mmCIF file of all heavy atoms in Angstrom:
data_model
loop_
_atom_site.group_PDB
_atom_site.id
_atom_site.type_symbol
_atom_site.label_atom_id
_atom_site.label_comp_id
_atom_site.label_asym_id
_atom_site.label_seq_id
_atom_site.Cartn_x
_atom_site.Cartn_y
_atom_site.Cartn_z
ATOM 1 N N GLN B 72 -9.803 -3.480 -3.074
ATOM 2 C CA GLN B 72 -8.494 -3.230 -2.452
ATOM 3 C C GLN B 72 -8.073 -4.593 -1.758
ATOM 4 O O GLN B 72 -6.935 -4.958 -1.857
ATOM 5 C CB GLN B 72 -8.642 -2.142 -1.290
ATOM 6 C CG GLN B 72 -9.233 -0.855 -1.741
ATOM 7 C CD GLN B 72 -8.436 -0.181 -2.763
ATOM 8 O OE1 GLN B 72 -7.132 0.124 -2.548
ATOM 9 N NE2 GLN B 72 -9.057 0.283 -3.868
ATOM 10 N N LEU B 73 -9.119 -5.174 -1.133
ATOM 11 C CA LEU B 73 -8.668 -6.476 -0.450
ATOM 12 C C LEU B 73 -8.238 -7.528 -1.455
ATOM 13 O O LEU B 73 -7.263 -8.213 -1.267
ATOM 14 C CB LEU B 73 -9.951 -6.948 0.361
ATOM 15 C CG LEU B 73 -10.304 -6.001 1.520
ATOM 16 C CD1 LEU B 73 -11.671 -6.482 2.134
ATOM 17 C CD2 LEU B 73 -9.178 -5.978 2.618
ATOM 18 N N MET B 74 -9.113 -7.587 -2.517
ATOM 19 C CA MET B 74 -8.797 -8.609 -3.583
ATOM 20 C C MET B 74 -7.389 -8.460 -4.117
ATOM 21 O O MET B 74 -6.610 -9.378 -4.306
ATOM 22 C CB MET B 74 -9.769 -8.450 -4.815
ATOM 23 C CG MET B 74 -11.044 -9.170 -4.559
ATOM 24 S SD MET B 74 -10.965 -10.920 -4.168
ATOM 25 C CE MET B 74 -10.568 -11.561 -5.790
ATOM 26 N N GLN B 75 -6.916 -7.219 -4.395
ATOM 27 C CA GLN B 75 -5.610 -6.911 -4.726
ATOM 28 C C GLN B 75 -4.589 -7.604 -3.922
ATOM 29 O O GLN B 75 -3.579 -8.194 -4.367
ATOM 30 C CB GLN B 75 -5.279 -5.430 -4.813
ATOM 31 C CG GLN B 75 -5.963 -4.721 -5.944
ATOM 32 C CD GLN B 75 -4.787 -4.197 -6.861
ATOM 33 O OE1 GLN B 75 -3.784 -4.654 -6.770
ATOM 34 N NE2 GLN B 75 -5.186 -3.215 -7.611
ATOM 35 N N LEU B 76 -4.822 -7.470 -2.614
ATOM 36 C CA LEU B 76 -3.871 -8.024 -1.584
ATOM 37 C C LEU B 76 -3.791 -9.500 -1.675
ATOM 38 O O LEU B 76 -2.637 -10.113 -1.476
ATOM 39 C CB LEU B 76 -4.217 -7.580 -0.238
ATOM 40 C CG LEU B 76 -3.482 -6.282 0.275
ATOM 41 C CD1 LEU B 76 -4.024 -5.927 1.625
ATOM 42 C CD2 LEU B 76 -1.982 -6.534 0.283
ATOM 43 N N ILE B 77 -4.917 -10.227 -1.755
ATOM 44 C CA ILE B 77 -4.974 -11.580 -1.493
ATOM 45 C C ILE B 77 -4.888 -12.408 -2.820
ATOM 46 O O ILE B 77 -4.574 -13.597 -2.677
ATOM 47 C CB ILE B 77 -6.274 -12.019 -0.817
ATOM 48 C CG1 ILE B 77 -7.515 -11.832 -1.653
ATOM 49 C CG2 ILE B 77 -6.348 -11.383 0.565
ATOM 50 C CD1 ILE B 77 -8.703 -12.304 -0.960
ATOM 51 N N LYS B 78 -5.007 -11.743 -3.936
ATOM 52 C CA LYS B 78 -4.948 -12.485 -5.065
ATOM 53 C C LYS B 78 -3.539 -13.174 -5.226
ATOM 54 O O LYS B 78 -2.524 -12.572 -4.763
ATOM 55 C CB LYS B 78 -5.124 -11.668 -6.340
ATOM 56 C CG LYS B 78 -4.024 -10.728 -6.692
ATOM 57 C CD LYS B 78 -4.447 -10.029 -8.028
ATOM 58 C CE LYS B 78 -3.358 -9.206 -8.659
ATOM 59 N NZ LYS B 78 -2.402 -8.401 -7.713
ATOM 60 N N ASP B 79 -3.423 -14.411 -5.591
ATOM 61 C CA ASP B 79 -2.104 -15.028 -5.690
ATOM 62 C C ASP B 79 -1.551 -15.453 -4.319
ATOM 63 O O ASP B 79 -0.473 -15.915 -4.184
ATOM 64 C CB ASP B 79 -1.060 -14.318 -6.435
ATOM 65 C CG ASP B 79 -1.652 -13.848 -7.880
ATOM 66 O OD1 ASP B 79 -2.386 -14.500 -8.413
ATOM 67 O OD2 ASP B 79 -1.206 -12.748 -8.243
ATOM 68 N N GLU B 80 -2.305 -15.250 -3.249
ATOM 69 C CA GLU B 80 -1.777 -15.650 -1.931
ATOM 70 C C GLU B 80 -2.390 -16.958 -1.416
ATOM 71 O O GLU B 80 -3.528 -17.094 -1.365
ATOM 72 C CB GLU B 80 -2.226 -14.570 -0.894
ATOM 73 C CG GLU B 80 -1.494 -13.191 -1.025
ATOM 74 C CD GLU B 80 -0.066 -13.308 -0.509
ATOM 75 O OE1 GLU B 80 0.325 -14.341 0.092
ATOM 76 O OE2 GLU B 80 0.661 -12.355 -0.550
ATOM 77 N N PRO B 81 -1.562 -17.879 -1.290
ATOM 78 C CA PRO B 81 -2.055 -19.243 -0.936
ATOM 79 C C PRO B 81 -2.693 -19.177 0.405
ATOM 80 O O PRO B 81 -3.666 -19.972 0.595
ATOM 81 C CB PRO B 81 -0.673 -20.083 -0.808
ATOM 82 C CG PRO B 81 0.349 -19.299 -1.508
ATOM 83 C CD PRO B 81 0.005 -17.856 -1.464
ATOM 84 N N THR B 82 -2.310 -18.323 1.214
ATOM 85 C CA THR B 82 -2.944 -18.323 2.622
ATOM 86 C C THR B 82 -4.209 -17.337 2.649
ATOM 87 O O THR B 82 -4.610 -16.952 3.756
ATOM 88 C CB THR B 82 -1.879 -17.814 3.687
ATOM 89 O OG1 THR B 82 -1.488 -16.541 3.444
ATOM 90 C CG2 THR B 82 -0.691 -18.862 3.705
ATOM 91 N N ALA B 83 -4.626 -16.909 1.552
ATOM 92 C CA ALA B 83 -5.684 -15.845 1.554
ATOM 93 C C ALA B 83 -6.913 -16.306 2.372
ATOM 94 O O ALA B 83 -7.426 -15.498 3.184
ATOM 95 C CB ALA B 83 -6.106 -15.681 0.103
#
Side-chain angles (χ1 to χ4, degrees):
Chain B
Q72 311 294 308
L73 295 172
M74 278 302 286
Q75 280 248 23
L76 265 178
I77 66 177
K78 75 178 189 318
D79 310 327
E80 288 283 354
T82 64

